[in-house]
Amino acid sequence: MLPKTNIERELARIKASTTPSNEILDAVYQILKEDSNKESEIASRLKSKSNVGITNKFDFELMESPNIYHISQIKKICIEYRLRFLDSKYFKGKIPQSGISKIKQLEKLHGIEIKGFKIMAPSKLFKLEDKDDPLLFAPIGNGYYYLIHKWGNDLHPLRKALVWPFKGIVNLTITTLLISYLATLLVPSGLFSKSDTAAEFWIIYFFMFKSIAAVVIFYGFALGKNFNPVIWNSKYFNA
């Protein structure tokens, strides 16, 4: 009976007969070294300052159209969900290895060195200067950006509703009026007089509104808060 052929053993025999082991180790070491140097260089670019007007010359034949976004679309999403769109150097989180790998893959595919990285994320994920889900972009010219990678968890399903009051002064006023109305309804009937009249209700409502509005104004000025259309691309925490 003939013995069965172990294909792994045969492959190892061929390798041993054609390539010295020290050459294999040297080749592998060189590949790993070059790969590590490339990752370090990409990480350095992600933390460096982006010059205005940078355009990456992607091969449009190889680009995926669903990943191309105009600055107006990015701005709209940032305003809707109170996010910021800033240079990657301000990002205080860690770019995952999957993101670095995607950059390497794109650079090899398009034969370019990608620069001018931008990240879309909530303010808390940025190191802002004094004055839930990052998206990594690169500029491709004419106000368009190419989405390279997304990581982390999705945004809270109620985030859009929770930040709606901060879209503008009208939204904030409507919210304050509504909260004041609900707070007035919680005041027990006849608390300030024996008769429960409409006039009493609206007087209480007026004072309730002034009190809540005062708190909102103090909170806004004390903590340097601003509306979504103002902060979406600002690097200052008190913009």
Side-chain angles (χ1 to χ4, degrees):
M1 297 291 291
L2 296 175
K4 294 183 178 180
T5 301
N6 186 316
I7 193 65
E8 180 181 0
R9 191 183 305 124
E10 289 299 307
L11 182 62
R13 183 182 62 79
I14 295 295
K15 182 179 72 171
S17 64
T18 55
T19 308
S21 59
N22 62 324
E23 290 186 15
I24 296 175
L25 291 175
D26 289 342
V28 171
Y29 172 77
Q30 187 61 31
I31 291 173
L32 293 176
K33 183 179 179 181
E34 291 177 357
D35 193 61
S36 177
N37 291 339
K38 182 65 175 177
E39 290 185 1
S40 299
E41 194 263 334
I42 290 174
S44 178
R45 268 185 278 141
L46 284 165
K47 295 299 181 182
S48 64
K49 182 178 180 180
S50 300
N51 297 321
V52 178
I54 286 180
T55 299
N56 294 291
K57 304 294 183 181
F58 285 91
D59 186 339
F60 285 95
E61 295 296 327
L62 302 176
M63 294 174 71
E64 299 179 20
S65 57
N67 289 347
I68 300 175
Y69 296 88
H70 191 260
I71 188 64
S72 61
Q73 299 164 339
I74 293 173
K75 178 180 179 180
K76 183 176 181 180
I77 288 296
C78 287
I79 292 175
E80 290 287 339
Y81 292 92
R82 197 172 176 80
L83 305 174
R84 299 216 188 193
F85 184 65
L86 300 175
D87 292 346
S88 58
K89 74 168 188 171
Y90 294 111
F91 186 68
K92 65 183 180 182
K94 183 179 179 181
I95 308 294
Q97 183 60 40
S98 55
I100 301 292
S101 299
K102 190 61 180 292
I103 294 173
K104 287 195 302 181
Q105 179 185 344
L106 284 174
E107 289 187 337
K108 182 177 181 181
L109 179 65
H110 294 267
I112 61 173
E113 184 179 273
I114 303 174
K115 297 179 179 179
F117 297 101
K118 294 274 191 179
I119 288 182
M120 178 196 294
S123 300
K124 64 182 180 180
L125 295 181
F126 288 104
K127 294 176 289 187
L128 302 179
E129 297 180 4
D130 190 3
K131 164 213 188 187
D132 307 324
D133 296 25
L135 301 177
L136 179 65
F137 292 85
I140 56 178
N142 295 324
Y144 286 92
Y145 289 83
Y146 192 67
L147 175 59
I148 295 177
H149 190 60
K150 173 189 178 297
W151 67 97
N153 300 317
D154 291 332
L155 293 174
H156 191 281
L158 297 179
R159 182 181 178 88
K160 184 176 181 180
L162 293 174
V163 301
W164 182 85
F166 304 105
K167 289 181 65 177
I169 186 66
V170 175
N171 301 59
L172 187 60
T173 302
I174 293 174
T175 303
T176 305
L177 288 169
L178 180 59
I179 294 175
S180 301
Y181 183 79
L182 295 175
T184 304
L185 292 176
L186 296 176
V187 176
S189 301
L191 180 64
F192 299 103
S193 65
K194 294 181 179 181
S195 59
D196 186 14
T197 63
E200 180 187 355
F201 177 85
W202 291 112
I203 290 173
I204 295 174
Y205 175 73
F206 174 71
F207 282 104
M208 195 69 72
F209 173 75
K210 287 204 307 180
S211 301
I212 295 176
V215 172
V216 170
I217 293 172
F218 174 79
Y219 174 79
F221 280 101
L223 299 183
K225 298 298 181 180
N226 214 324
F227 296 113
N228 301 1
V230 178
I231 71 165
W232 76 276
N233 64 344
S234 174
K235 63 180 181 179
Y236 302 103
F237 72 81
N238 60 346

